[in-house]
Amino acid sequence: MEIKKCTLEDVPQLALFNKQLIEDEKSNNPMSIEELEERMTGFLQTEYDAYYFMHEEDVIGYALVKHTCTPLYLRQFLIAREYRQKHYGTEAFRLLLNYLGVDRLDIEVLPWNEAGMRFWESCGFKEISRYMRFEK
């Protein structure tokens, strides 16, 4: 597996992956593909970098990392559905850590995303806070 830094040319594919991530984690984010493309463009033009995970010639997933905070913040991470349950997620995460040269990283996991929570715990993450929201 290899890692490749994305450019603005990758925004359409990144938006499709982001839509899949939103669906898979059952997020309440209602954004369309077009809105996700616009948001991803904004991310890449400011404080985020995106990375593809490559297996042979195929893009099998991506990560979106905020570089302007310490520790770095992993905002999005996805292995495409057809590549799951093959240990690519763990391999991609370790590859990302090595590529970024870090030994600390922050993430957020939606509370109902049990599969995501299990995955991140298996990678060594520990819960340090609970982010909550009040809406009327």
Side-chain angles (χ1 to χ4, degrees), residues 8 11 36-46:
L8 290 173
V11 164
L36 292 171
E37 285 183 13
E38 185 177 324
R39 183 175 74 157
M40 187 65 71
T41 298
F43 285 153
L44 296 182
Q45 289 177 333
T46 58

Side-chain angles (χ1 to χ4, degrees), residues 3 51 53 62-65 74 76-77 90-102 105 120:
I3 194 166
Y51 305 93
F53 302 118
Y62 82 107
L64 182 68
V65 179
L74 178 58
Q76 299 171 6
F77 182 93
T90 303
E91 185 179 350
F93 176 67
R94 299 288 178 225
L95 181 67
L96 181 65
L97 284 179
N98 289 335
Y99 184 89
L100 297 172
V102 298
L105 198 63
W120 292 116

Side-chain angles (χ1 to χ4, degrees), residues 9-22:
E9 292 176 8
D10 297 306
V11 164
Q13 177 60 52
L14 290 167
L16 290 172
F17 275 148
N18 190 192
K19 187 68 167 175
Q20 187 179 126
L21 178 63
I22 288 166

Side-chain angles (χ1 to χ4, degrees), residues 1-3 52-61 83 86 88 91:
M1 183 179 299
E2 296 179 21
I3 194 166
Y52 278 152
F53 302 118
M54 310 290 297
H55 177 68
E56 297 172 359
E57 299 296 318
D58 297 325
V59 177
I60 66 167
Y83 293 98
K86 300 176 183 176
Y88 290 130
E91 185 179 350

Side-chain angles (χ1 to χ4, degrees), residues 66-80:
K66 184 176 182 180
H67 285 274
T68 57
C69 54
T70 304
L72 300 181
Y73 174 64
L74 178 58
R75 184 181 179 111
Q76 299 171 6
F77 182 93
L78 173 88
I79 298 299

